[in-house]
Amino acid sequence: MDTFALVVTIGVALFFTYTNGFHDSANAIATSVSTRALTPRAALAMAAVMNLAGAFMGSGVAKTVSEGVIQTPEGSKGMGILFAALVGAIVWNLITWYFGLPSSSSHALFGGMVGAALAGGTTVYWDGVVDKIVIPMFVSPVVGLLAGYLVMTVILWIFRRANPHKAKRGFRIAQTVSAAGMALGHGLQDAQKTMGIVVMALVIADVEDYGDPIPVWVKIACAVMLSAGTYAGGWRIMRTLGRKIIELDPPQGFAAETTGASIMFGSAFLFHAPISTTHVITSAIMGVGATKRVNAVRWGVAKNIVLGWFITMPAAAAVAALSFGLVNLAVL
């Protein structure tokens, strides 16, 4: 039974990674596709490859997820808590994907973990939740907004005398690099979040000890599933990010992607903070767009997206708590 529960939980964790990939593929490439710097299929293929590479670039975020959010639960109840947390995150991912809302897969996962832990009577490390999740949730979009505005302002100043057509052509080429950086940062951040969950499952099943390094097969499995999900694409959300917030041109797309990638690398390597790629790129797009004129950004769409950010953790937590109740009745 224990082995079966472990296999099922890891399978569900990998499915979550897949949904994370197609839910968040838009983050890496929507701007490049909307400015026609890349065709959709070429952009998705590039993003899938860079996601795969990014997954092997560190383990700080995975450590935060596996050790810093909830106490590692024990036994079959512990596996039930992890299973319910993943179900909560997957259900919320699918709902927001269906409605084309670029919510955060990361915060869906953290909400699921907290909701399932509370329902299952496991300790939640509230200091870790506040320091590593809630504060970055508020800070990263503000940084993205301001940094996007500043980066775009600098680009406008540097290229103020350039031929507009030549400059746009150059930035269209540069966007292939900035989009690759964004996809690399997405792999670095989001593949590690699932690695942290799988490591917790292995510790609960006594296959690994607390604090052991992440097994190579876990890294490969999470990276491959994230890449596969990314290649499957998330067209609904891509339309929201690429067109509905603001019509981007290549310099703006480059500025937004460069800003987003820089923030993701900085937070992963300096703070080991699992931030939302969705929050960062969306706020960077808004900041970049505001340099044109403030009302160039469709703030009504932006408001709906921000509302989605605030309800993601509580909604995923509620679904996870309900899932744990059902699992508890059926199995435990």
Side-chain angles (χ1 to χ4, degrees):
M1 181 60 194
D2 287 348
T3 305
F4 177 73
L6 175 63
V7 170
V8 169
T9 303
I10 291 174
V12 174
L14 294 177
F15 179 67
F16 166 75
T17 312
Y18 182 83
T19 67
N20 187 344
F22 77 70
H23 193 278
D24 290 2
S25 58
N27 298 342
I29 61 174
T31 50
S32 300
V33 173
S34 71
T35 61
R36 296 183 176 81
L38 292 167
T39 64
R41 278 293 157 208
L44 284 167
M46 178 275 294
V49 171
M50 298 309 281
N51 271 183
L52 195 64
F56 291 92
M57 288 180 64
S59 58
V61 171
K63 192 175 175 64
T64 296
V65 172
S66 63
E67 298 174 15
V69 180
I70 64 172
Q71 183 179 38
T72 303
E74 296 179 355
S76 58
K77 187 171 106 169
M79 207 64 84
I81 287 170
L82 279 195
F83 177 82
L86 290 162
V87 169
I90 289 167
V91 168
W92 189 247
N93 263 2
L94 293 175
I95 290 169
T96 50
W97 165 80
Y98 181 80
F99 289 106
L101 187 67
S103 69
S104 167
S105 293
S106 309
H107 291 124
L109 178 62
F110 300 136
M113 289 173 73
V114 171
L118 290 173
T122 291
T123 303
V124 176
Y125 297 138
W126 291 110
D127 287 350
V129 171
V130 171
D131 292 347
K132 295 290 188 182
I133 298 165
V134 176
I135 290 174
M137 181 170 78
F138 286 102
V139 171
S140 61
V142 174
V143 173
L145 191 74
L146 295 175
Y149 185 89
L150 289 172
V151 169
M152 192 64 217
T153 302
V154 169
I155 287 172
L156 289 169
W157 188 82
I158 291 171
F159 292 92
R160 66 193 183 283
R161 294 193 181 90
N163 178 302
H165 292 296
K166 279 187 179 175
K168 280 189 179 180
R169 194 160 60 243
F171 275 107
R172 202 167 267 134
I173 295 165
Q175 262 199 282
T176 58
V177 178
S178 60
M182 191 72 206
L184 198 65
H186 181 230
L188 171 67
Q189 279 279 346
D190 284 26
Q192 282 194 52
K193 289 159 191 167
T194 310
M195 289 179 205
I197 294 290
V198 174
V199 165
M200 284 182 84
L202 294 171
V203 170
I204 291 168
D206 285 332
V207 176
E208 291 272 310
D209 289 325
Y210 191 79
D212 279 357
I214 301 167
V216 174
W217 70 265
V218 173
K219 290 187 177 185
I220 292 170
C222 292
V224 168
M225 289 304 285
L226 186 71
S227 291
T230 297
Y231 191 69
W235 304 106
R236 291 170 187 265
I237 292 168
M238 209 178 294
R239 278 197 294 274
T240 302
L241 277 181
R243 295 281 180 194
K244 288 184 183 174
I245 298 175
I246 184 172
E247 296 284 344
L248 293 169
D249 61 21
Q252 290 172 326
F254 174 80
E257 288 167 347
T258 302
T259 300
S262 302
I263 293 168
M264 284 193 294
F265 282 111
S267 62
F269 288 123
L270 298 177
F271 306 110
H272 299 160
I275 63 166
S276 165
T277 54
T278 312
H279 290 193
V280 169
I281 190 62
T282 309
S283 55
I285 289 171
M286 291 180 202
V288 164
T291 59
K292 190 183 281 185
R293 60 183 191 283
V294 173
N295 63 358
V297 179
R298 297 185 182 105
W299 295 106
V301 175
K303 182 189 76 177
N304 291 339
I305 291 168
V306 171
L307 188 65
W309 296 351
F310 282 106
I311 62 173
T312 289
M313 279 188 73
V319 176
L322 182 64
S323 301
F324 180 78
L326 295 173
V327 169
N328 202 24
L329 281 173
V331 181
L332 302 178

